[in-house]
Amino acid sequence: MSLFRKKTESSAFYRFFKNVLGYIPIRTELYHIAFIHRSNSEVQKGHRINNERLEYLGDAILSAVVAEFLYKKYPYQGEGYLTIMRSKIVSRASLNKLAHKMGLAELVDYQRDSGGGFKSLEGDAFEALVGAMYLEKGYRFTRRIIVDKLLCTYLDIDAISASDWNYKSKLIDWGQKNKRKVSFEVIRSFVQGSGSRRHYETQVLIDGEPQKAAIDYSIKASEQLAAEKTYKALVESGIIQHAEEQHA
């Protein structure tokens, strides 16, 4: 309980909500849990408490909010475009950047001597924050905060729309043009910590030779991340020429 009071009554906690989100929470215990990373789980009544359940809930709410936002913003775009845009916005890389700009890392309780192995810590905490907000304030309030305070403040939606994202297709196209066999293999799936969300690690293979690998919460997302890492590595090594990369 002392850690609870220390975190939720800290000046940084209230400053974050007042300056970034524009409101002061009442059910502070929800937000306290939202900021507990699995590496620093608390034990209450025999149960390990961390933000993974709220992260699960926030993921669903965020996806719905972003889908509605894009549906209204792009009234003449088809389902394919909207799906790609939503994937870009809610990708782990995008959420990590958004959460970092918000200053969310300052509030997260985690094992800081872990060697920096928690690559999605900030993005996960952001989703958990959305879950806590939804439980306290409801969907309409949460939607307004996400759209007005976060998406339109910390993300450049037009730049995201214009950015390359589908590195999987780019890598496959390169392979077809150069008679190289590009494939993807799920090398492991696992549930990390006490959470219920399964992780997938996918590796790119070129002519059967292993390339870069990446981890995410779905096979498709992990394929995209692995493809992006592999494609960029091929550009840096000169295997994919810059002229070819720009044309792609």
Side-chain angles (χ1 to χ4, degrees):
M1 185 63 71
S2 61
L3 176 60
F4 169 81
R5 287 198 298 266
K6 179 181 178 182
K7 177 58 66 175
T8 58
E9 294 178 5
S10 70
S11 60
F13 178 89
Y14 285 107
R15 187 168 60 247
F16 171 81
F17 279 91
K18 181 179 179 180
N19 297 340
V20 177
L21 299 183
Y23 77 99
I24 300 298
I26 303 300
R27 297 178 61 186
T28 52
E29 73 280 1
L30 281 174
Y31 300 93
H32 166 66
I33 296 173
F35 298 141
I36 301 177
H37 187 258
R38 64 178 179 274
S39 65
N40 216 29
S41 299
E42 296 181 9
V43 178
Q44 295 181 10
K45 298 181 180 179
H47 298 283
R48 295 179 66 83
I49 304 299
N50 57 49
N51 65 6
E52 289 182 321
R53 281 171 51 84
L54 284 173
E55 178 193 337
Y56 160 80
L57 177 61
D59 174 66
I61 300 302
L62 181 63
S63 182
V65 170
V66 172
E68 180 184 358
F69 168 77
L70 294 172
Y71 182 86
K72 293 177 179 178
K73 181 175 177 62
Y74 301 105
Y76 304 111
Q77 293 288 358
E79 181 267 346
Y81 174 86
L82 297 177
T83 298
I84 290 174
M85 276 295 293
R86 182 177 61 181
S87 296
K88 288 181 180 181
I89 292 173
V90 303
S91 71
R92 195 55 38 187
S94 180
L95 293 185
N96 283 339
K97 290 178 182 178
L98 186 152
H100 185 74
K101 290 180 180 178
M102 292 167 59
L104 203 55
E106 182 181 0
L107 299 176
V108 181
D109 285 324
Y110 68 100
Q111 290 291 344
R112 298 178 185 273
D113 58 352
S114 62
F118 308 124
K119 295 182 180 179
S120 61
L121 181 145
E122 291 173 290
D124 292 347
F126 174 76
E127 287 184 333
L129 170 63
V130 170
M133 192 187 310
Y134 167 75
L135 289 177
E136 182 190 23
K137 298 292 188 178
Y139 181 80
R140 293 181 64 183
F141 181 92
T142 304
R143 178 183 60 191
R144 178 174 63 82
I145 294 295
I146 291 174
V147 173
D148 296 344
K149 296 287 186 179
L150 304 179
L151 294 184
C152 295
T153 301
Y154 293 98
L155 292 180
D156 187 336
I157 303 299
D158 293 330
I160 291 175
S161 177
S163 66
D164 282 329
W165 183 78
N166 197 346
Y167 281 92
K168 180 180 177 181
S169 292
K170 292 175 69 173
L171 189 61
I172 291 174
D173 288 345
W174 168 82
Q176 290 174 344
K177 291 176 182 177
N178 293 274
K179 298 183 179 180
R180 306 288 298 273
K181 182 181 179 181
V182 176
S183 58
F184 298 82
E185 179 183 3
V186 177
I187 55 180
R188 64 174 176 143
S189 65
F190 59 96
V191 175
Q192 197 165 31
S194 60
S196 58
R197 297 185 73 183
R198 182 162 292 277
H199 295 64
Y200 298 90
E201 183 173 12
T202 300
Q203 187 167 55
V204 175
L205 302 173
I206 297 180
D207 295 333
E209 293 295 324
Q211 307 296 318
K212 300 295 184 180
I215 298 173
D216 212 305
Y217 293 121
S218 71
I219 293 176
K220 287 185 177 180
S222 64
E223 286 178 344
Q224 282 287 356
L225 288 174
E228 179 179 0
K229 291 166 68 175
T230 299
Y231 192 91
K232 289 181 177 179
L234 293 175
V235 171
E236 290 178 1
S237 66
I239 295 175
I240 295 179
Q241 301 299 319
H242 283 284
E244 182 180 2
E245 193 272 335
Q246 291 171 2
H247 179 70

